[in-house]
């Protein structure tokens, strides 16, 4: 596991989606949770196990995708910082850092 992946998995907050109360995403998450529980309660035997396996597999996929996106974003940010550091003199001479007397 890479250092970036360890950073992602080390912090539980990075793995938890936090939505603003009553936001579109929060309402969608509540709908998913409620319907998932309703379906689970309606199913029995093999169907319940299949649904449970499906939910677990989907959760694993979502976790993997989240980790990959985090790593990609982290690397992109690092590349942006390297670009800034490599071109620092050019930026310092330009309008960004130029102080007019």
């Amino acid at each position: 596991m890479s250092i970036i992946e360890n950073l992602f998995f080390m912090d539980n907050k990075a793995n938890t989606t936090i939505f603003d109360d009553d936001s579109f995403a929060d309402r969608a998450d509540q709908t998913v949770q409620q319907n998932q529980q309703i379906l689970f309660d309606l199913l029995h035997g093999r169907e319940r196990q299949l649904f449970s396996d499906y939910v677990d597999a989907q959760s694993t996929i979502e976790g993997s995708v989240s980790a990959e996106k985090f790593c990609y974003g982290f690397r992109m940010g690092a590349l942006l910082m390297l670009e800034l550091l490599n071109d620092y003199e050019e930026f310092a001479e330009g309008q960004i850092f130029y102080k007019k007397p």
Side-chain angles (χ1 to χ4, degrees), residues 47-92:
E47 291 84 7
R48 180 181 273 198
Q49 185 61 48
L50 286 171
F51 182 68
S52 181
D53 292 346
Y54 167 81
V55 169
D56 290 346
Q58 190 65 37
S59 178
T60 299
I61 291 169
E62 289 174 7
S64 295
V65 169
S66 293
E68 287 178 27
K69 286 182 178 182
F70 176 84
C71 292
Y72 177 81
F74 194 93
R75 288 184 179 112
M76 180 62 71
L79 288 173
L80 289 170
M81 293 303 298
L82 285 173
E83 184 175 324
L84 286 173
L85 291 173
N86 286 337
D87 296 334
Y88 175 75
E89 290 178 12
E90 180 182 326
F91 286 119

Side-chain angles (χ1 to χ4, degrees), residues 7 10-11 18 21 32 38-39 42 45 59 63 65 69 75 79 81:
L7 178 64
M10 185 174 24
D11 184 4
I18 301 173
D21 289 341
V32 167
I38 291 168
L39 286 169
L42 289 171
S59 178
V65 169
K69 286 182 178 182
R75 288 184 179 112
L79 288 173
M81 293 303 298

Side-chain angles (χ1 to χ4, degrees), residues 21-39:
D21 289 341
D22 203 37
S23 68
F24 178 75
D26 182 54
R27 289 190 305 268
D29 185 54
Q30 288 176 12
T31 299
V32 167
Q33 298 299 324
Q34 290 168 355
N35 289 340
Q36 183 175 323
Q37 187 61 50
I38 291 168
L39 286 169

